[in-house]
Amino acid sequence: MSTILVDNLTGKTSAGSITVTSEGGAATQSLQQGLAKHWVRFIGSGTAAILDSLSASSLTDNGTGDYTIAITNNMNNANYGLLIGESDWRCIGASGNGALTTSDYDLLGRYPSDATALDAEVTSTGIHGDLA
């Protein structure tokens, strides 16, 4: 087995394009498209706080079950894929007011049974899409 030690990868044909061939060799994928551009794990109950993150600059507690997460490296547009995971039975979703922007997004915590607002326990989110 060989080991490649590098600090930077740059595409040969286009600097920002590196293609990876699948394990079986039948398909290819853009390396950049397959990478998570942002993720954050936070606790929303009590004093809301980021526990760990990649490209998350802040967490704002806007009130019971309402959070805004700021993205450090802006996305190219607001049509990125936002993935949300909650470690409890609570229902966490993106705000219904179109609150995905290139620099932040809003999350709302609700009881599944009656949509009453509640603080999130430990929650994780991630973004896939194009950086600006």
Side-chain angles (χ1 to χ4, degrees):
M1 179 193 308
S2 298
T3 302
I4 299 173
L5 301 173
V6 297
D7 290 325
N8 297 297
L9 294 175
T10 302
K12 181 178 178 184
T13 304
S14 173
S17 179
I18 297 173
T19 301
V20 178
T21 303
S22 69
E23 293 84 345
T28 61
Q29 177 177 323
S30 166
L31 177 64
Q32 293 85 340
Q33 289 294 306
L35 298 174
K37 306 308 189 304
H38 159 94
W39 61 264
V40 64
R41 182 168 169 86
F42 73 94
I43 187 160
S45 59
T47 301
I50 292 175
L51 301 173
D52 202 357
S53 70
L54 169 70
S55 189
S57 57
S58 67
L59 167 68
T60 302
D61 187 344
N62 301 311
T64 303
D66 186 358
Y67 310 95
T68 301
I69 298 175
I71 302 167
T72 304
N73 299 312
N74 286 358
M75 301 304 294
N76 189 51
N77 58 54
N79 296 318
Y80 49 81
L82 176 62
L83 311 171
I84 304 168
E86 165 57 53
S87 64
D88 204 348
W89 55 268
R90 293 164 169 82
C91 179
I92 304 294
S95 171
N97 63 0
L100 296 180
T101 73
T102 59
S103 60
D104 65 23
Y105 56 94
D106 290 343
L107 297 174
L108 298 175
R110 300 289 182 256
Y111 283 103
S113 59
D114 63 5
T116 301
L118 78 157
D119 282 337
E121 290 298 324
V122 177
T123 301
S124 299
T125 67
I127 291 177
H128 288 266
D130 298 329
L131 290 173

